[in-house]
Amino acid sequence: METGESGAVRRRAAQAASTRAEIVMAAGRLMLERGYVGTSIAAIASEAGVVVQTIYNSVGSKAELLAAVLERVAEEPDAPALLSGATRERIAGARTATEVIRILARSSALVNERTSGILRIVSEAAVVDPDVGEFEQKRDAARLHGFGEVAVALREKRGLRGGISDHEAAATMWALAHPHTYRTLVLSLGWSTEAYLSWLEKSLLAALL
């Protein structure tokens, strides 16, 4: 049976989690509306209905707030991860290298579409905030590592072009599927998501297989 003390601890933890979630959602709304530079910690506190110190205690610095916003977007139920467990399972179960590429292209397109807004803020913030710049570099490195897993899968299915290393294949996928490429083609130049997906799939097939 739960004691009064343990119940109080659970309630405090739940309240802290709720407060943190409110802060992160408020930060996301304001950053998308005003940009990273134009959003102050004080404004986020006001939007979330807390004092400034609560933000530092609950989440941390402004750069950590931005990281938390990106994590929240990625964790939403309909926000697929580039190499989520389900995507890895589909790639492992693919019968051909061509099927692997198609799975990767669709996953990349979905991720880029879902996270394009907040990743634009990350890129803008990286110019003025070294902490965000370091965070963006780590994400790029993690993305490259994930594509390395796909390169291994392609080679195992004897589909990777001769003369190209796994690292080179991963770098090719990284460049073609990068969020910056998506934002340029879809958000800046007006491509439809369907046109982007078709281009990405064809480009990956031509470059790697």
Side-chain angles (χ1 to χ4, degrees), residues 63-171:
E64 289 170 316
L65 266 172
L66 180 56
V69 171
L70 185 57
E71 288 172 6
R72 183 185 65 81
V73 171
E75 289 170 359
E76 288 179 356
D78 55 347
L82 175 60
L83 286 180
S84 64
T87 300
R88 283 188 169 92
E89 288 180 7
R90 287 196 295 273
I91 287 176
R95 290 172 295 178
T96 66
T98 297
E99 189 177 347
V100 170
I101 291 294
R102 287 174 176 159
I103 293 169
L104 174 66
R106 182 164 296 278
S107 176
S108 298
L110 287 171
V111 170
N112 285 334
E113 181 180 25
R114 182 54 190 256
T115 61
S116 61
I118 195 63
L119 287 177
R120 172 180 58 81
I121 302 301
V122 171
S123 296
E124 293 172 358
V127 177
V128 297
D129 191 327
D131 289 338
V132 178
E134 182 180 354
F135 167 73
E136 187 174 35
Q137 288 178 348
K138 288 180 179 178
R139 282 189 60 83
D140 273 342
R143 189 180 294 113
L144 183 61
H145 178 76
F147 286 130
E149 295 181 35
V150 180
V152 171
L154 290 172
R155 189 172 298 284
E156 288 175 348
K157 298 182 189 306
R158 300 183 183 279
L160 197 58
R161 172 179 294 174
I164 184 172
S165 68
D166 289 357
H167 182 72
E168 289 169 333

Side-chain angles (χ1 to χ4, degrees), residues 164-180:
I164 184 172
S165 68
D166 289 357
H167 182 72
E168 289 169 333
T172 299
M173 289 182 263
W174 181 91
L176 289 171
H178 199 281
H180 289 186

Side-chain angles (χ1 to χ4, degrees), residues 51-63:
V51 299
V52 167
Q53 190 58 45
T54 299
I55 292 180
Y56 290 114
N57 292 343
S58 180
V59 185
S61 67
K62 191 173 176 181

